[in-house]
Amino acid sequence: MRRIALRLTLFVVGLALLTGCATPVVESGLDARLRDLIETAGLTGDPARGRDLPEISDPVPQLGMQLFFTMALSGKQDAACVSCHHPYLGGGDAIPLSIGVDADQPELLGPGRTHPEGPLVPRNAPTTFNAGLWDRFLFHDGRVESLGKTPGANGADGYGIRTPDRPWGYPDVLAGPNLVVAQARFPVTSEEEMRGFDFGNGHGNGNEVRNALTRELLAEIIAAGAPSANWLPEFQRAFASEADAATLITFENIAYAIGEYERSQVFVETPWKAYFEGDVDALGEAAKRGALLFFQTPAEGGANCASCHSGDFFTDEQFHVLAVPQIGVGKDSGLYGDDDWGRALETHRDDDRYAFRTPTLLNVEVTAPYGHDGAYATLEAIVRHHLNPEAAVAAYAFDQLDPSIRVTNAVENTQRALGQWRRLRDLGYPTVTVLALDDGQVADLVAFLEALTDPCVKDRACLDAWVPGDGLADPDGRRLNATFSVLP
Ligand code: HEC
Ligand code: HEC
């Protein structure tokens, strides 16, 4: 931290010299307090520091971008990864619950994307931005898990990665080199996301067999492809190899390339980081006050956010019960199957029921709606939920939701989640503290969250490096050319 203090001083002196100003800029009391908190928390300001992450201009991420945008990887050729993870939509889909196959207009993304039966995916699509910064778990319930959990490794630490294809605690030998690549093997096997409800039926029982067959068939689709299909040169270029399609166009290589594309989505150049680098004015006063609230404990007058949203990536990568309203089709939980037990679906522990992974807060400004099921439309609303889950649930307007979102037992399911929150709180589990912040303090917290945005994620020209342009081949003619009814 001394280094930062020194850099701040140098910056201030430099500024004074440059402007010829006699009185050097004096740090405010806010800055001094914030520096203490930063020091105590051991932050560096740079969540990507020391990580081995690809550049988008590298050949493998370029192939990954082509694959991420092709609908040929879905059973009905009508959904792509990008259907739910578009760079212009903060790396997500900007709707509460995702819509994959059978969308009314497959290429319409974001608000306005509809499905005849309403969204069938049980959860909100997290951003793919900064996917290479996770070290422990992917998915809201952590079902892709690094067994080593080595900081900075993104799962690539030699201890193996557990996936839904393997029993609890066992590594999946097919997982690939890191968490992001391991995750990329699953959306295509999910009926409502990409596989479709007819594809690969009659090929035996059990997830493992089904997934293996799906993978093979998908590789065939790509190899045989639509009439214009010509993936081989793209794979040969990416992997610098002359090998044939059977060797190169494997699902393992597909997942690897997609994963490398996602891992190249590093968006960490935030005002918060600039502040660490010596630019005291990178944060406004409100954001600085918000930062104090964020890092301070309730005893110090703070909101304790950093107890869970910890470290430079703003997450402890653990699971907590917040009782965010439970909406949508749910995930095979509870009496009617429309509840979502979160982490407990993996661990089968009662105390993990309704626990979800702490999200990162980097770029959270552009990833609305919020919560594991997108129940809250605004940052202010999800922040207020944290400050008093009971009051927030009581005020939640289930009847104002988009009518296509299923809410059959949503009120009861949410009450169960709230009961679990109370139970764990009384047992002494770390959880959110009920706090009476005034409106100004809530606004300060939101201002701080907005200072965690890399300007690139709000700039289409900057993001275009991650969107295939005319110069990049569309090898099967199935590239999703997104249209938007509302562009954030
Ligand atoms: C129908 C929409 C949809 C499609 C298509 C889709 N995803 Fe997702 N994605 C989601 C949802 C919803 C989740 C969260 C699921 C959960 O946690 O249970 C998710 C989770 C993820 C995550 C985990 C992020 C994190 O922070 O844990 C990554 C990475 C990801 N998807 C990448 C992909 C890739 C790669 C593809 C294509 C192979 C893809 N997705 C296709 C909706 C989709
Ligand atoms: C006990 C741990 C914990 C504390 C303390 C905590 N959070 Fe969270 N936060 C979570 C979890 C878990 C979620 C996800 C809940 C879900 O998915 O249903 C979340 C979600 C969020 C989200 C939504 C992110 C997204 O991508 O959906 C924001 C914003 C947020 N928290 C900000 C804050 C702020 C600000 C504070 C302090 C007032 C705070 N959190 C305190 C655990 C915590």
Side-chain angles (χ1 to χ4, degrees):
M1 208 42 48
R2 217 165 265 138
R3 209 166 40 108
I4 283 172
L6 182 67
R7 277 209 248 158
L8 272 177
T9 315
L10 287 177
F11 177 80
V12 168
V13 170
L15 202 69
L17 288 177
L18 269 177
T19 54
C21 174
T23 40
V25 183
V26 183
E27 268 185 41
S28 72
L30 272 179
D31 292 304
R33 274 153 73 201
L34 192 47
R35 253 214 329 274
D36 279 348
L37 289 167
I38 285 171
E39 186 162 7
T40 311
L43 303 181
T44 71
D46 183 1
R49 194 166 81 154
R51 286 176 188 264
D52 186 13
L53 295 162
E55 298 282 338
I56 182 58
S57 52
D58 293 345
V60 173
Q62 287 288 310
L63 171 67
M65 176 155 68
Q66 290 169 305
L67 292 163
F68 197 85
F69 277 75
T70 182
M71 296 187 284
L73 277 173
S74 68
K76 282 192 173 172
Q77 312 237 331
D78 68 346
C81 304
V82 79
S83 303
C84 308
H85 299 286
H86 200 288
Y88 292 169
L89 300 175
D93 55 10
I95 50 179
L97 299 157
S98 294
I99 293 172
V101 296
D102 300 325
D104 292 315
Q105 290 174 264
E107 301 190 81
L108 175 67
L109 307 189
R113 182 174 176 81
T114 53
H115 183 285
E117 295 166 57
L120 298 180
V121 175
R123 293 179 181 159
N124 179 258
T127 182
T128 54
F129 292 173
N130 296 325
L133 305 189
W134 292 99
D135 292 328
R136 301 166 68 93
F137 301 97
L138 287 182
F139 285 123
H140 293 294
D141 52 19
R143 64 189 184 275
V144 166
E145 174 175 0
S146 162
L147 296 177
K149 301 181 178 54
T150 306
N154 196 214
D157 57 8
Y159 290 94
I161 292 169
R162 186 258 161 179
T163 74
D165 275 357
R166 296 293 294 151
W168 172 248
Y170 287 90
D172 179 348
V173 291
L174 298 175
N178 58 54
L179 286 171
V180 185
V181 172
Q183 191 284 334
R185 296 170 56 252
F186 289 90
V188 297
T189 68
S190 154
E191 291 183 328
E192 62 276 8
E193 286 190 3
M194 291 176 77
R195 178 180 162 182
F197 292 89
D198 320 313
F199 187 79
N201 285 347
H203 285 300
N205 303 312
N207 277 337
E208 243 172 300
V209 182
R210 191 187 67 204
N211 293 349
L213 281 166
T214 309
R215 284 194 296 270
E216 266 177 42
L217 289 171
L218 288 165
E220 273 172 33
I221 286 182
I222 288 209
S228 61
N230 196 9
W231 279 100
L232 185 57
E234 309 301 318
F235 277 74
Q236 288 176 329
R237 186 175 315 123
F239 291 103
S241 160
E242 296 291 302
D244 60 7
T247 313
L248 280 178
I249 307 181
T250 61
F251 199 82
E252 276 53 48
N253 281 346
I254 292 170
Y256 178 67
I258 290 177
E260 289 300 280
Y261 163 72
E262 296 174 283
R263 278 161 38 83
S264 78
Q265 296 182 329
V266 184
F267 299 111
V268 299
E269 297 303 328
T270 63
W272 176 242
K273 180 164 178 276
Y275 184 75
F276 278 72
E277 288 162 353
D279 181 359
V280 265
D281 296 328
L283 302 180
E285 294 286 296
K288 286 178 189 173
R289 288 193 303 267
L292 292 185
L293 285 167
F294 190 92
F295 288 103
Q296 284 174 332
T297 62
E300 299 164 328
N304 219 20
C305 310
S307 63
C308 298
H309 297 282
S310 55
D312 290 304
F313 195 36
F314 292 94
T315 168
D316 55 4
E317 296 197 49
Q318 303 284 3
F319 304 87
H320 301 279
V321 177
L322 254 63
V324 166
Q326 297 275 91
I327 58 171
V329 294
K331 197 163 164 88
D332 307 324
S333 313
L335 202 53
Y336 305 100
D338 63 358
D339 207 353
D340 186 346
W341 286 345
R343 184 64 181 151
L345 293 170
E346 296 301 304
T347 63
H348 305 290
R349 287 177 70 235
D350 279 352
D351 287 0
D352 287 335
R353 247 181 225 190
Y354 301 108
F356 295 91
R357 188 192 61 180
T358 308
T360 173
L361 299 178
L362 290 182
N363 304 309
V364 73
E365 183 187 357
V366 297
T367 59
Y370 303 106
H372 64 277
D373 53 0
Y376 287 110
T378 64
L379 273 179
E380 182 187 338
I382 182 87
V383 170
R384 286 191 186 278
H385 177 97
H386 283 72
L387 300 175
N388 191 339
E390 282 170 322
V393 164
Y396 191 79
F398 288 92
D399 55 349
Q400 312 264 302
L401 289 169
D402 186 300
S404 74
I405 294 178
R406 291 200 207 161
V407 288
T408 323
N409 299 296
V411 173
E412 296 79 356
N413 292 340
T414 306
Q415 284 304 324
R416 281 188 203 96
L418 208 46
Q420 174 78 327
W421 174 73
R422 283 189 211 101
R423 191 176 77 85
L424 297 185
R425 177 196 59 191
D426 296 347
L427 285 172
Y429 272 69
T431 184
V432 291
T433 322
V434 173
L435 288 172
L437 299 192
D438 62 36
D439 290 354
Q441 290 175 307
V442 173
D444 288 347
L445 275 173
V446 171
F448 171 64
L449 295 175
E450 288 171 352
L452 305 179
T453 309
D454 183 330
C456 183
V457 304
K458 297 207 280 190
D459 175 355
R460 284 179 75 157
C462 184
L463 289 172
D464 277 341
W466 288 269
V467 177
D470 294 341
L472 190 66
D474 176 6
D476 53 24
R478 299 299 300 142
R479 177 172 297 159
L480 189 148
N481 289 312
T483 58
F484 304 93
S485 54
V486 186
L487 199 58

